[in-house]
Amino acid sequence: MFTKKSGQIGARFIVYLTGLLVMSLGIVLLIIADLGATPWDVLHVGLYYQLGLTIGSWSVIVGIVILTVASLISKEFPKMGAFLNMVLIGVFIDLYLLLPFMQTPSSLAGQIVMFLCGIIIYCYGMGIYISAQFGAGPRDSLMIALTSKTGWKVGRVRSFMEVIVLIIGWQLGGPVFWGTVIIGLAIGPLAGKALPQCQMATDRFLARLNKQVYTTIGKEKDRGVS
């Protein structure tokens, strides 16, 4: 028998993957713009400088630690999507970086445009994949857990997280440029706007899809009766 959960799991997974692809594109645009690493990347590089391993390894290690903390705060076991997030984001980033046209613009104006587009795309990609409710990634899981625990708005919690991570990464010797500061301050408010907008759009998409499925099932039943 058709249920909302079973009937929409495929559609929600497509929304989830789409969101990860969009968010990964935003991350790559920020990297290529070369105007400053994200606060989390500053932390990963700082840990690499201090303790060795690789930047990618620290991204996974930090992700595991953060996901554990978020689970303790929310008292919920992470969804499978949270684990997929850690793997797929890295794969998508590497694939985008292989594209020959992904190059740093030759002019400062071009870099700034790419940088600003990267921030917006990153935030809306985050909103899309979270709206699928397949499980947020480690950092976004912590954001959601802290939002629920403190009662603060998403933008305030995200900004707080980004600034704290930026300070720690900077103290560890991670690369900080003016773009990094802008990212740390802008992602919170933009995420606060993007998340509810994306959730509303996804809910409408799934509701429309759900209606179409039930209509199709009804027509098939009518044909069977006749």
Side-chain angles (χ1 to χ4, degrees), residues 122-138:
Y122 173 85
C123 290
Y124 275 91
M126 182 199 309
I128 293 171
Y129 97 78
I130 290 178
S131 71
Q133 297 178 13
F134 241 87

Side-chain angles (χ1 to χ4, degrees), residues 2-3 29 36 54 72 84 95 141 199 207-208 221:
F2 177 83
T3 63
L29 291 178
T54 65
L72 293 174
L84 287 174
L95 290 176
S141 293
Q199 188 65 64
R208 189 178 300 114
K221 286 183 177 179

